Amino acid sequence: MNLLVVNAGSSSLKLARLDAEGAVTSATTVEAWQGEGHLEPLTAFLAGCGQVDAVGHRVVHGGPRYTGPARVDEPLVAYLSSISSLAPLHNPRAVAGLRSVRELLPDVPAVACFDTTFHATLSPAARTYAVPREWNERWGLRRYGFHGLSHAHAVRRGAELVGRPAGELRIVTCHLGAGASLAAVRGGVSVDTTMGFTPLAGLVMNTRPGTLDPGLLLWLLEHGPVPPAELGDVLEHRSGLKGLSGTSGDLREVLTGRAAGDEACVLAFDVYLHRLARETAAMTAAIGGLDLLVLTGGVGEHSWEVRAALAESLGYLGAAVDAELNRATTADADISAPGVAVRTVVVTAREDLEIRRQVSAVLG
């Protein structure tokens, strides 16, 4: 099966063609994609990429209805449009991608693959918010979790790197990029995660603050007074590493400033690591221990400083990395120190391979 993978982000459109072996034969990123109706970049890519037998779309939010990959049809597209408020930066763009590709490839089967699917296995205790039950039922309030396609691949590939079945391991996967989240995995399924109803919760990220005291937000609204629209913009685009350090929020800039003695960058990195270590320990508690720590995403794959600091903070659990291997690794590898109880591996983020797996499962 030759697969077209479509990832419509908040501003860009990523396209890739995978051959029958899962190798990427063609790929492009369309910056500033204008959405539905902006067909020229898609048309150009399809003209040169070769035969396409199926399409797999990455969709951030499947809502309460879609807890697994699904064939793209009009009811699915209409439902995703109806829940745009759950992921306003991403789901409308995904719908635009679904419609655009269907216009150009009307006879090619397409499957929507959701970032929330991996966390559909959370227990009621793990997914339920302690607010009035009527609210949860009326508005579908619950912890959904995100980055599921990345976490799913990280679990499978991480287990392969240590030569053990994923189902036998207690795993914490760390998707660390501009957005960041952790997943606690036991028996091969997600038991807990750091993001919740929206992708704002959990870890400190490039421009998002992670979990905050709700009372702080109420205080800002009532006494700041900060208008809701401004508060939303600050939480999405002006917080996290960016807000603390005064940089763009890119961790590389923060590390450069930290090395130069910039106090704001020093604090930003310390806050980032403190939250990462604390949440990793919480994920470990959720699965009753830790056998394997998997790091993926741009930071997880390339920041040896973060990997070293995290492993050191988890030393009490039996984690440690080989200093030389850690500094040298930027792709799939076991970077554990010899004889440790907890293995630490780096996995290249390949959501496209997980999408391929899910498309194959749906189409047969």
Side-chain angles (χ1 to χ4, degrees):
M1 176 180 65
N2 298 299
L3 178 69
L4 172 66
V5 175
V6 181
N7 183 353
S10 58
S11 62
S12 65
L13 175 68
K14 295 181 180 180
L15 304 169
R17 178 185 180 272
L18 277 61
D19 65 16
E21 304 302 319
V24 177
T25 61
S26 184
T28 190
T29 298
V30 181
E31 303 293 350
W33 184 56
Q34 298 167 23
E36 191 172 354
H38 188 196
L39 300 179
E40 292 83 357
L42 270 164
T43 301
F45 182 81
L46 291 172
C49 75
Q51 179 180 338
V52 171
D53 303 312
V55 182
H57 292 267
R58 180 197 176 204
V59 181
V60 166
H61 213 308
R65 179 179 299 179
Y66 289 101
T67 58
R71 287 283 293 261
V72 174
D73 55 21
E74 193 51 44
L76 179 143
V77 174
Y79 176 75
L80 294 182
S81 296
S82 75
I83 61 168
S84 290
S85 63
L86 293 179
L89 297 180
H90 297 93
N91 264 35
R93 302 279 292 180
V95 168
L98 293 170
R99 287 176 170 157
S100 297
V101 172
R102 189 164 58 169
E103 181 174 344
L104 295 175
L105 299 173
D107 299 321
V108 176
V111 175
C113 303
F114 304 99
D115 264 321
T116 48
T117 289
F118 186 65
H119 306 295
T121 51
L122 264 60
S123 69
R127 69 174 182 253
T128 302
Y129 285 113
V131 296
R133 184 175 61 192
E134 295 78 14
W135 287 14
N136 287 330
E137 294 172 351
R138 185 188 312 168
W139 293 307
L141 305 182
R142 56 158 290 173
R143 298 180 65 242
Y144 285 101
F146 299 91
H147 296 133
L149 296 168
S150 178
H151 286 297
H153 175 71
V155 167
R156 290 187 179 86
R157 182 61 180 140
E160 288 177 0
L161 288 172
V162 297
R164 293 181 61 186
E168 295 179 358
L169 297 167
R170 297 166 298 179
I171 306 171
V172 173
T173 50
C174 309
H175 176 94
L176 306 178
S181 69
L182 309 179
V185 179
R186 185 177 59 219
V189 301
S190 178
V191 172
D192 206 348
T193 188
T194 51
M195 285 182 168
F197 184 69
T198 75
L200 280 173
L203 302 174
V204 174
M205 296 169 251
N206 280 27
T207 63
R208 286 172 266 173
T211 299
L212 294 172
D213 177 356
L216 181 150
L217 302 179
L218 290 173
W219 189 92
L220 288 170
L221 289 169
E222 295 175 5
H223 302 288
V226 178
E230 181 182 352
L231 182 59
D233 179 65
V234 168
L235 294 176
E236 288 280 4
H237 304 295
R238 291 190 275 158
S239 297
L241 290 173
K242 179 178 183 178
L244 288 174
S245 69
T247 68
S248 69
D250 189 311
L251 182 66
R252 291 168 293 189
E253 292 182 37
V254 175
L255 289 170
T256 298
R258 176 174 175 259
D262 184 302
E263 291 184 1
C265 289
V266 170
L267 177 61
F269 185 78
D270 288 348
V271 171
Y272 179 92
L273 254 299
H274 175 82
R275 183 74 61 82
L276 177 59
R278 189 184 76 180
E279 294 297 330
T280 303
M283 294 297 102
T284 299
I287 50 177
L290 183 61
D291 301 308
L292 178 62
L293 182 68
V294 184
L295 295 119
T296 190
V299 172
E301 295 164 35
H302 298 285
S303 178
W304 67 265
E305 298 97 331
V306 168
R307 297 193 302 243
L310 178 59
E312 182 179 1
S313 74
L314 301 176
Y316 68 96
L317 292 173
V321 296
D322 180 286
E324 185 175 339
L325 282 175
N326 182 42
R327 281 179 174 266
T329 295
T330 58
D332 294 13
D334 185 344
I335 60 171
S336 309
V340 293
V342 175
R343 304 281 287 276
T344 302
V345 300
V346 176
V347 168
T348 302
R350 290 293 306 272
E351 290 98 333
D352 56 344
L353 289 181
E354 178 60 20
I355 289 172
R356 178 176 179 269
R357 190 190 70 82
Q358 293 188 12
V359 170
S360 297
V362 171
L363 299 182

